[in-house]
Amino acid sequence: MQKQQQHSTTNYKKTKKQKKSNEKEETINSEKSQELLIQAIFSQRLSKQFDYSKLNLKPDHKIRPIWICEGPENKFHIFMETYSPIYQSAYDFLVAVAEPVSRPENLHEYVLTEYSLYAAVSIGMDTEQIIEKLDTLSKVTLSDAVKGFIKDVTKKYGNVKLVLQKNRFFVESPSRDILRKIYEDKIIAAAAILPDPKEFTIDKESHGKFVIRTRTKVHQVEKFQKQTVTTTGIGETNNNLLIRTVNQEVEDDDDEDDDLNNIETLYSFEIQASQVEHVKKQCIVLGHPTLEEYDFRNDTANKTLNIDLKPTTTIRSYQEKSLSKMFSNGRARSGIIVLPCGAGKTLVGVTAGCTVKKHTLVLCINNVSIFQWKNQFKLWSTIDESRVVVFTSAHKDPLPKDEDPIIIITSYTMLTHEGNRSGVAKLIMDYIQSREWGLLILDEVHVAPANMFRKVASIKSHCKLGLTATLLREDNRTDDLYFLIGPKLYEANWLDLQQKGHLANVQCVEVWCPMTAEFYSEYLTANAQKKILFSIMNPNKFRACEFLIRYHEKQGDKIIIFFDNKYSLQQYAERLHLPYIYGDTKERERLLILEEFRKMGGKFSSVCISKVGDTAIDIPEATVIIQISSHYGSRRQEAQRLGRILRPKGGGVENQQAYFYTLVSQDTQEMYYSTKRQQFLINQGYSFRVLPDIKQYYEQGIKELKIEVLNLRDKQEELQLLEQVKKADDAKAQEEKDDDILASSSLTAWSGEQDVIYNSFNPNSVTTSRRKRKKAASSLNKTAVHPLFRNQ
C-alpha cells in the first residue's frame, strides 16, 4: 500500500514537472511566434511594396497636393494633403476617379480601382484627361504602371450599352467583334433571345443572332437646369431671397470633328428581363462593363410628366454637384450618390425626378420613408398630388384612369413579395411590371444586394439612381451594387459639410462602464444570449446613462437613447420614467410621443427608441444620442444613428454642437464590437474620445452640478436588478426583428417632421429654440461646467 502511494506521488511529481515543462515550452513558442510576427511586419515595411524612397519628386512638389504610390496586389494608393490651397479642386477630381479609404482632417487616402475608373468614364472623363489631371496634381512622376492600369481599364468602358426599348432589354455595341465575344459566353448566350426577322433587320454575318440598325451621330448641346440663390444684402431672411433659374450649357463629349451626317452602325441582341443582373455581372467579368444612359429629352415614346421644382426650392452646392455628375452630358446616367444623413438626399432624388420628367418609381425601406418621400415631392415640386401614388400593405392610393405618367412610391418588401396579393395590390403590381420607367430611385440603396431585394434590378427602367449615406455592408457585397445599379457618381465629404455648417458638429464619446462584481461573475458563466443582457443591464452603465440624460436635459438638449432589444428598452425607460418607441408601439402613441418630444418646454426632453429609429426618423431638434446597445459590429448602424443628430441646428457655426455617446460595459464583448463599429466614422474623419472611468465623472458631477442620480444607489438595488435579469429568459436578449420595423407606422408625422426634410443653415439668424437652449444653459453656473462637456 505504501509502495503504491510512493509510486502515485512519484507519477504526480513527474506529471507536474512535465506540465511545467510544457507550459514553459508553450511560452517560448508564443514569444518566438510574436517575435517572428514582428520581424515579418518590419521586413514587409522594408520590402518594395512599402518602400517609396525611389519615387521621383518633381521640383515644384511642394505646391502639388497628392502622392501616388503602388501598393500590394498592384493597387495604386493616393494620399492627399487637405491643407493644400487647391484641396477642393483636387478632392472633386479624386472622388470621381478613386475610391475613398480614409478621410481624416489633414490627410486623405484613396485607391484607384476598376469600378472607380468605370465611374469616371461614365461621367464623361476620358483616359487622357484622367492621366493628365493626375499628373498635374501629383508630387511624383506617374509611373508607367499607373498609366498602363488607367488605359487598360478605361478603354473597355462605354463599348457596350444596356438599352431599354419598347419594354425590352438589348445589349448594344458599335463593334460586332466585341458583341460576338460577349455572346460567346455561356451565361449571356443562355439569356439571349433570337431576333424575329419580321420585326428587325438581321445582321447576316452574325448568323442571325444580332440586330443591326443605323443612326445619325448628332453633336448635341444639352442644357441642365439648376437653381441658384442670390442675396441682395447681408443678413436677409429667406423671404427676401431672389431665386433665379439659369441654364448651364453642358456639351456632349463627342469629338469636335463629328459630322452631322456621320452614320453610325449599331449591333445588338435582346436578353430576358429576368437575366439582366447576371448579364451585367458577366459583362464586367469579360472586361466590358455595360454603360446605362437615358436620353430622356429625346424620348418621344414615353409621355412627359408635368413636374418642376418650385421657385422657392434651393439646391445646395454639393447637391448640385452630385446632380451634375448624373446629368453632365444632358443624358441621365445610372449610378449611386452618397451623401451623409441630414444632407438632403431626398431633395436630390426629387430634383432628379423633376429633370427626367417621366414615369418615376421610388423604393424605400419602410412605410415611414414612403410617406416622407410623398411629402417631400409635394414640398419641393409642383407635382399634382393625384399623380403621386403610395403603395403599402395598409395604404394603396388609386391609380389614375388616364395613361399620363405618375410617381409611385413603395417599399422593397412590397415589390419583392412572392405570396398572394389582394385585387388592388395585384392591379398596381401589374401596372408597375408593364411600364417603362424613366427613373427608378432606390432609397437606402445599400439594402439592394440582399437576396430578397435584388430582384428590383430587373424592373424595366431607363435610369436607376441609388441614394445612401453608408455605402457599406458587413457581408462585403457592396460591389454587387455596381452591376445591379451602376457606378458611384458622387460622394460628399462629411467633415467638409460640417465645417460649412451644412451638418452639425458632433463630439463622439465612448464611455467605459466597469462591470460590478456580481454582474461580471454571472456574465462569465452565462450563455451567449444571457451575456448580452448582463452587459446591457450593468448598473454602472445604467447610472452613467441617467447622469448623461439629467445633465443634458438641464442644458436644454433633446436626447435620444438607442437600444437594440425590447427588454432593456422597457427596463431603462420604466426606471427612468421616459416614454419609449419600438416596433409594436401603436401609431397614435408614436405620434403623441414624438410631437411632445419636439416641443420646447414639453413634458419630456428624452425618448427611448429601439432599432426602429435607426432610419426613417427625422427629428432636427435632437442634439444628443446615448447608445446603450447595438447590432454587434455594424458600422452602418453606427453611422445611421449618428445621422439622427447631424441636422444643422441653426444659430451659426459655433452653435452646431451635438453629442454622440456609446456606453460600453468594460471587459465584455461590447468592447470589441464598439471598436469595429467606429471604423466607418473614423474613416470619415470623426474621432472618439474615450472615458475609461465614467464613475468619477458622474460622482463629481453630482456634487458640482447638483445632478442627482436616483436609480441603483445602493448594493441592494443592484442585487434586485441582478435577480430580475437572471430570471429573464434568453429570448429577452434577442434583437428586435426586422419584420417589426418593416411593419412599423405608416404615418409620416411620427418621423418628427411633416413638412421639413432639413433645416437650412443661416449664419445670421438664431432660431427661437436656440435662444431657449442658450437661456437654459446660461442659467447654470459657468464655472461649474463639467470638464467632460467643455469644448476642446
Side-chain angles (χ1 to χ4, degrees):
M1 186 73 177
Q2 189 175 1
K3 287 183 179 181
Q4 286 181 350
Q5 288 178 348
Q6 288 176 351
H7 182 70
S8 176
T9 303
T10 303
N11 287 340
Y12 172 74
K13 288 180 179 180
K14 286 182 179 179
T15 305
K16 189 175 181 180
K17 188 176 181 180
Q18 182 66 35
K19 187 177 180 182
K20 284 184 178 180
S21 177
N22 291 340
E23 288 176 353
K24 186 177 180 180
E25 188 177 346
E26 287 177 4
T27 303
I28 293 171
N29 290 336
S30 177
E31 290 175 353
K32 284 183 177 179
S33 298
Q34 291 179 12
E35 188 177 341
L36 289 171
L37 178 60
I38 293 170
Q39 288 176 355
I41 291 172
F42 279 96
S43 64
Q44 267 194 331
R45 293 192 177 281
L46 293 172
S47 67
K48 290 183 179 180
Q49 66 181 21
F50 291 103
D51 183 8
Y52 302 124
S53 60
K54 295 182 181 179
L55 290 175
N56 185 22
L57 275 174
K58 296 177 181 176
D60 57 350
H61 64 87
K62 290 184 179 180
I63 65 172
R64 302 174 190 264
I66 71 173
W67 303 78
I68 302 178
C69 311
E70 185 175 356
E73 299 177 3
N74 294 323
K75 288 187 177 180
F76 299 97
H77 291 258
I78 301 174
F79 300 92
M80 179 172 64
E81 299 167 348
T82 62
Y83 44 83
S84 168
I86 58 171
Y87 158 71
Q88 193 58 56
S89 174
Y91 172 79
D92 290 340
F93 171 72
L94 285 183
V95 80
V97 302
E99 191 70 29
V101 176
S102 179
R103 290 178 289 184
E105 186 174 356
N106 296 317
L107 190 70
H108 290 186
E109 181 185 357
Y110 302 82
V111 61
L112 281 176
T113 67
E114 290 191 1
Y115 289 122
S116 67
L117 289 171
Y118 291 155
V121 176
S122 76
I123 62 174
M125 293 186 183
D126 61 34
T127 306
E128 296 306 319
Q129 286 176 334
I130 296 171
I131 294 175
E132 181 183 352
K133 186 71 171 178
L134 276 176
D135 187 50
T136 302
L137 296 172
S138 177
K139 292 175 177 289
V140 298
T141 305
L142 291 189
S143 66
D144 292 337
V146 174
K147 294 178 182 178
F149 176 72
I150 295 172
K151 289 177 181 178
D152 289 343
V153 172
T154 54
K155 72 180 182 182
K156 301 174 185 176
Y157 197 72
N159 293 322
V160 179
K161 292 186 178 182
L162 183 66
V163 181
L164 179 63
Q165 293 177 343
K166 297 181 180 179
N167 220 16
R168 296 151 74 178
F169 288 102
F170 292 85
V171 177
E172 182 181 86
S173 175
S175 169
R176 184 191 288 118
D177 292 338
I178 291 176
L179 207 64
R180 186 180 289 121
K181 175 186 173 183
I182 291 173
Y183 200 95
E184 287 173 355
D185 183 83
K186 293 180 180 180
I187 295 176
I188 295 178
I193 299 174
L194 289 175
D196 184 353
K198 296 180 181 179
E199 186 180 1
F200 300 102
T201 302
I202 306 300
D203 176 36
K204 295 180 181 178
E205 292 189 27
S206 66
H207 305 289
K209 297 176 182 177
F210 301 158
V211 174
I212 187 171
R213 69 184 181 93
T214 58
R215 71 175 182 185
T216 303
K217 295 174 69 175
V218 181
H219 183 71
Q220 299 177 347
V221 177
E222 302 290 354
K223 296 184 179 181
F224 172 63
Q225 189 180 53
K226 68 176 182 179
Q227 306 242 355
T228 59
V229 184
T230 59
T231 60
T232 58
I234 298 175
E236 288 182 316
T237 62
N238 287 337
N239 293 332
N240 294 327
L241 291 177
L242 295 176
I243 309 299
R244 60 185 177 89
T245 302
V246 298
N247 287 324
Q248 177 188 22
E249 292 188 354
V250 183
E251 294 191 355
D252 200 325
D253 286 328
D254 292 340
D255 293 335
E256 292 180 0
D257 58 350
D258 279 351
D259 188 80
L260 294 178
N261 297 318
N262 189 13
I263 302 299
E264 181 181 32
T265 303
L266 297 172
Y267 306 91
S268 63
F269 60 87
E270 186 180 357
I271 59 171
Q272 302 169 35
S274 61
Q275 299 299 310
V276 167
E277 173 193 337
H278 304 293
V279 170
K280 289 170 69 176
K281 184 175 183 179
Q282 201 61 19
C283 283
I284 292 176
V285 172
L286 294 172
H288 293 284
T290 57
L291 174 66
E292 292 185 68
E293 287 187 340
Y294 177 32
D295 190 4
F296 57 93
R297 298 185 189 278
N298 296 316
D299 180 8
T300 56
N302 294 289
K303 293 183 178 180
T304 300
L305 178 65
N306 185 18
I307 184 174
D308 275 301
L309 290 177
K310 289 180 179 179
T312 54
T313 301
T314 61
I315 303 175
R316 293 172 177 171
S317 58
Y318 61 88
Q319 294 169 324
E320 181 187 326
K321 195 174 293 182
S322 68
L323 288 163
S324 70
K325 302 294 185 183
M326 182 179 180
F327 296 104
S328 62
N329 67 344
R331 299 184 179 92
R333 295 188 178 94
S334 293
I336 299 166
I337 292 175
V338 184
L339 294 176
C341 301
K345 293 186 294 295
T346 311
L347 179 55
V348 170
V350 171
T351 306
C354 293
T355 306
V356 174
K357 299 180 187 296
K358 300 293 181 183
H359 273 292
T360 300
L361 179 63
V362 182
L363 299 182
C364 308
I365 57 171
N366 56 33
N367 294 345
V368 176
S369 294
I370 291 172
F371 283 88
Q372 281 186 350
W373 270 89
K374 180 175 182 178
N375 281 341
Q376 297 315 304
F377 267 106
K378 290 163 55 180
L379 177 64
W380 302 121
S381 75
T382 59
I383 189 72
D384 188 324
E385 188 173 355
S386 64
R387 311 307 299 181
V388 182
V389 175
V390 166
F391 178 38
T392 72
S393 57
H395 187 103
K396 300 173 182 66
D397 290 334
L399 291 170
K401 295 181 180 179
D402 55 50
E403 288 297 314
D404 290 338
I406 62 173
I407 297 171
I408 292 183
I409 308 174
T410 185
S411 66
Y412 294 93
T413 307
M414 288 297 294
L415 208 65
T416 56
H417 177 68
E418 296 180 346
N420 295 328
R421 297 182 183 269
S422 65
V424 177
K426 190 176 185 305
L427 185 67
I428 296 176
M429 278 304 301
D430 289 343
Y431 184 94
I432 291 173
Q433 292 171 350
S434 63
R435 291 292 186 279
E436 276 189 21
W437 295 91
L439 179 62
L440 171 63
I441 299 176
L442 298 100
D443 193 22
E444 305 294 351
V445 70
H446 52 261
V447 306
N451 290 332
M452 66 177 294
F453 291 154
R454 62 194 304 144
K455 295 178 183 178
V456 301
S458 62
I459 293 174
K460 296 166 184 174
S461 60
H462 287 280
C463 178
K464 301 180 184 70
L465 172 61
L467 298 170
T468 184
T470 51
L471 192 59
L472 52 85
R473 289 177 60 91
E474 302 307 326
D475 58 6
N476 296 319
R477 295 173 71 178
T478 308
D479 286 352
D480 289 2
L481 288 171
Y482 298 129
F483 62 81
L484 289 171
I485 311 301
K488 182 171 62 178
L489 301 174
Y490 181 77
E491 181 173 359
N493 186 350
W494 293 42
L495 286 190
D496 283 352
L497 299 189
Q498 178 180 295
Q499 290 168 1
K500 294 175 182 177
H502 298 310
L503 298 178
N505 180 32
V506 181
Q507 186 169 345
C508 301
V509 183
E510 181 178 299
V511 181
W512 289 2
C513 307
M515 291 281 284
T516 62
E518 295 79 11
F519 268 76
Y520 196 58
S521 177
E522 294 293 337
Y523 172 87
L524 292 174
T525 58
N527 60 37
Q529 292 294 327
K530 254 325 182 26
K531 282 181 186 290
I532 295 173
L533 276 187
F534 284 122
S535 58
I536 296 173
M537 300 304 297
N538 174 15
N540 282 327
K541 179 186 279 195
F542 194 101
R543 282 190 286 263
C545 176
E546 184 176 2
F547 167 71
L548 292 172
I549 290 171
R550 302 308 173 211
Y551 174 84
H552 282 289
E553 284 181 343
K554 205 167 184 178
Q555 291 281 6
D557 288 310
K558 295 286 187 178
I559 307 139
I560 300 175
I561 304 100
F562 271 113
F563 299 82
D564 244 42
N565 67 66
K566 299 176 186 177
Y567 178 80
S568 58
L569 168 71
Q570 291 171 334
Q571 287 292 320
Y572 272 72
E574 289 171 3
R575 286 174 177 270
L576 295 170
H577 305 291
L578 296 176
Y580 58 91
I581 295 172
Y582 65 107
D584 294 336
T585 306
K586 301 296 182 183
E587 287 182 357
R588 189 170 182 277
E589 186 179 351
R590 290 175 174 176
L591 176 62
L592 293 174
I593 290 173
L594 286 170
E595 281 187 347
E596 192 65 31
F597 177 78
R598 291 165 55 201
K599 292 179 183 176
M600 289 304 299
K603 294 179 181 178
F604 50 84
S605 299
S606 303
V607 61
C608 298
I609 301 181
S610 73
K611 64 191 296 184
V612 71
D614 288 353
T615 56
I617 178 172
D618 187 17
I619 309 176
E621 292 82 3
T623 53
V624 178
I625 279 179
I626 302 173
Q627 187 172 226
I628 303 297
S629 60
S630 54
H631 180 66
Y632 301 104
S634 174
R635 297 164 295 168
R636 188 174 73 230
Q637 186 187 56
E638 192 88 349
Q640 287 171 334
R641 287 182 171 178
L642 178 72
R644 303 312 105 205
I645 53 174
L646 278 181
R647 307 269 186 223
K649 313 305 176 190
V653 176
E654 68 279 1
N655 290 319
Q656 301 292 305
Q657 187 63 55
Y659 297 89
F660 181 75
Y661 298 98
T662 299
L663 272 53
V664 179
S665 289
Q666 209 165 347
D667 300 319
T668 68
Q669 285 185 330
E670 289 184 354
M671 299 282 285
Y672 165 75
Y673 289 129
S674 179
T675 302
K676 187 175 185 298
R677 289 169 61 84
Q678 294 168 7
Q679 193 56 54
F680 175 77
L681 294 179
I682 290 172
N683 286 341
Q684 300 305 315
Y686 287 92
S687 58
F688 281 78
R689 294 179 59 198
V690 175
L691 295 180
D693 187 6
I694 184 63
K695 189 175 180 180
Q696 64 175 347
Y697 283 98
Y698 66 68
E699 286 179 351
Q700 182 183 355
I702 291 171
K703 296 176 183 178
E704 291 185 3
L705 305 178
K706 298 180 181 179
I707 298 172
E708 190 174 3
V709 177
L710 303 175
N711 285 277
L712 304 177
R713 289 182 294 185
D714 54 43
K715 184 63 68 175
Q716 184 177 355
E717 288 187 52
E718 290 182 12
L719 294 176
Q720 288 175 353
L721 176 62
L722 178 62
E723 289 302 317
Q724 191 174 348
V725 176
K726 287 168 65 176
K727 291 178 182 178
D729 56 53
D730 292 349
K732 298 290 186 183
Q734 293 179 358
E735 296 180 2
E736 185 176 26
K737 295 180 181 179
D738 289 339
D739 293 343
D740 297 336
I741 297 171
L742 293 173
S744 61
S745 166
S746 61
L747 284 180
T748 184
W750 97 264
S751 68
E753 280 296 49
Q754 298 172 339
D755 300 318
V756 181
I757 192 65
Y758 59 85
N759 288 341
S760 294
F761 168 65
N762 186 343
N764 301 303
S765 65
V766 180
T767 61
T768 303
S769 60
R770 172 56 61 181
R771 291 194 190 98
K772 289 181 179 180
R773 288 185 59 215
K774 288 179 72 176
K775 185 177 179 181
S778 64
S779 64
L780 291 172
N781 183 357
K782 293 183 180 179
T783 60
V785 172
H786 199 273
L788 169 60
F789 307 102
R790 291 175 188 154
N791 291 329
Q792 299 298 306

